[in-house]
Amino acid sequence: MNRLVYASAVVIFLLPCAAPAQETAQGKLTSHTAATVASAPEAPKQEYLIKFLAKEVENGRVINTREYMLHTRAGANASDSAQIKTGSRVPIATGSFGGNTSTSLVNTQFTYVDVGINLQCYRIQLFGDRVSMAVKAEISSYDQSVSTTQPVIRQNQWEGSVTMPIGKTETIFSSDDVVSKRTLQVDLQVTAVR
């Protein structure tokens, strides 16, 4: 009987040391999961240069172009993202208080609005010779032609998924300006970085 208890104790102490354990999705440790994780190499991530061209077009002729570039990666996990944000903060008076007498001061409260360019790419994935991604583009500007006490902000915003051929430029968003005969368009080009 002593031999049976001794043999059982040896097996119990040796089993946890047989292979490194790894936690599974259910929270239990298994040596099979550890072997699978250790042998699976991480998928390489391809690097890309993404170029945005924001164009103002009038009567079929480009009258203004702004170029924005970012460097990002695409991988199997689709969690990579990139963003460009540039512009100014415009103060807008939202209220005032004080000034009950002729000698007291009036305090004005302000809210600040971001004006400029905000470009985001996320869920970037490679599919053969094409790159798929979700894109959000927001272009806003302060309209100085309107004379009011509060600023007028012109805003164009687009969001959607695109699949781009590598190395080619395509228009992904386009909209007419509501106060002029101009069109605002965003072109996108994706180039593989070697």
Side-chain angles (χ1 to χ4, degrees):
M1 171 117 169
N2 284 341
R3 289 183 188 172
L4 180 62
V5 171
Y6 179 73
S8 298
V10 170
V11 171
I12 290 173
F13 287 113
L14 291 179
L15 282 178
C17 299
Q22 190 74 2
E23 194 166 334
T24 65
Q26 291 81 20
K28 296 181 181 180
L29 298 176
T30 65
S31 60
H32 174 71
T33 305
T36 303
V37 169
S39 65
E42 185 176 320
K45 294 185 177 186
Q46 174 64 50
E47 296 184 7
Y48 295 97
L49 179 66
I50 300 176
K51 183 191 299 185
F52 289 92
L53 296 166
K55 298 179 180 180
E56 284 183 90
V57 180
E58 187 171 29
N59 297 325
R61 188 175 62 94
V62 176
I63 59 172
N64 188 14
T65 301
R66 299 275 188 238
E67 186 175 293
Y68 304 92
M69 292 187 289
L70 53 90
H71 190 263
T72 189
R73 296 173 185 226
N77 62 5
S79 65
D80 292 311
S81 65
Q83 178 178 14
I84 295 175
K85 188 173 185 177
T86 182
S88 301
R89 299 197 64 160
V90 176
I92 298 176
T94 56
S96 60
F97 59 93
N100 295 335
T101 65
S102 63
T103 59
S104 65
L105 297 174
V106 176
N107 291 317
T108 304
Q109 296 174 331
F110 291 93
T111 296
Y112 290 86
V113 176
D114 290 329
V115 175
I117 295 278
N118 185 9
L119 303 167
Q120 298 175 334
C121 303
Y122 46 98
R123 294 194 314 261
I124 304 165
Q125 294 181 305
L126 178 64
F127 292 103
D129 63 344
R130 300 174 78 79
V131 174
S132 175
M133 69 184 86
V135 177
K136 183 176 182 180
E138 182 179 333
I139 301 172
S140 57
S141 62
Y142 173 70
D143 189 350
Q144 298 174 346
S145 66
V146 179
S147 59
T148 63
T149 57
Q150 293 291 340
V152 174
I153 308 296
R154 302 274 182 225
Q155 184 176 39
N156 291 286
Q157 184 172 336
W158 308 275
E159 186 169 3
S161 296
V162 296
T163 302
M164 297 290 301
I166 296 173
K168 294 186 179 179
T169 302
E170 292 187 5
T171 300
I172 58 170
F173 302 120
S174 179
S175 69
D176 292 334
D177 188 348
V178 295
V179 296
S180 72
K181 294 186 180 202
R182 293 181 180 173
T183 299
L184 183 62
Q185 74 182 41
V186 176
D187 294 352
L188 181 67
Q189 180 185 47
V190 180
T191 307
V193 177
R194 307 229 182 246

